[in-house]
């Protein structure tokens, strides 16, 4: 009889166990393009879960986006967001949020451009 589990069968721990039953981060919901860099090393806090330690190791050498961390850690995006929020609350990571897209040009700027084009 062959084993029903293995590398291809997926994680042996349910995903909600990794997040302690939380489906959403307790604080801020991180954008997938938010950039994350590590502020501490995983061996400095032995209370971290193995998944959180992996995330910190990934962010040690390079600043990564939330989506890249999820892909490299082989974790679902929302699980990664919950774990990153915990790391952020603990001061283990630093997050650079994306700059929101600028709102459209104001009427004054459009009028100035139109006047400039007419002057040509």
């Amino acid at each position: 009889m062959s084993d029903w589990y293995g590398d291809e069968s997926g994680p042996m721990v349910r995903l909600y166990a990794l997040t302690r039953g939380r489906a959403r981060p307790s604080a801020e919901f991180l954008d997938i393009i938010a950039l994350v860099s590590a502020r501490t090393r995983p061996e400095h806090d032995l209370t971290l879960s193995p998944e959180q330690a992996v995330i910190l190791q990934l962010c040690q050498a390079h600043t990564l986006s939330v989506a890249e961390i999820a892909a490299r850690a082989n974790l679902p995006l929302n699980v990664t967001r919950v774990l990153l929020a915990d790391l952020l609350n603990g001061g283990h990571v630093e997050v650079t949020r994306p700059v929101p897209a600028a709102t459209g040009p104001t009427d004054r700027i459009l009028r100035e451009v139109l006047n400039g084009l007419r002057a040509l």
Side-chain angles (χ1 to χ4, degrees):
M1 184 172 151
S2 65
D3 293 332
W4 59 272
Y5 60 91
D7 290 339
E8 296 177 9
S9 64
M12 295 296 290
V13 177
R14 298 283 183 190
L15 295 174
Y16 60 81
L18 298 177
T19 62
R20 290 181 242 148
R22 295 169 295 158
R24 298 188 141 259
S26 57
E28 182 181 353
F29 196 77
L30 296 173
D31 195 287
I32 61 171
I33 60 172
L35 298 176
V36 180
S37 56
R39 297 179 74 195
T40 62
R41 301 186 65 81
E43 56 268 16
H44 291 163
D45 188 351
L46 299 177
T47 63
L48 296 177
S49 69
E51 292 77 18
Q52 288 173 319
V54 166
I55 289 172
L56 275 183
Q57 286 175 341
L58 288 171
C59 298
Q60 286 291 319
H62 306 287
T63 299
L64 298 173
S65 71
V66 173
E68 288 176 306
I69 293 168
R72 291 183 186 193
N74 201 21
L75 291 170
L77 185 58
N78 278 346
V79 170
T80 304
R81 283 177 166 148
V82 171
L83 296 176
L84 280 172
D86 291 345
L87 289 171
L88 181 63
N89 289 339
H92 296 287
V93 294
E94 183 176 312
V95 176
T96 304
R97 289 155 185 84
V99 176
T103 57
T106 63
D107 289 344
R108 184 184 61 81
I109 291 176
L110 289 174
R111 235 177 270 126
E112 288 179 13
V113 170
L114 184 60
N115 290 338
L117 289 173
R118 285 181 181 158
L120 292 177

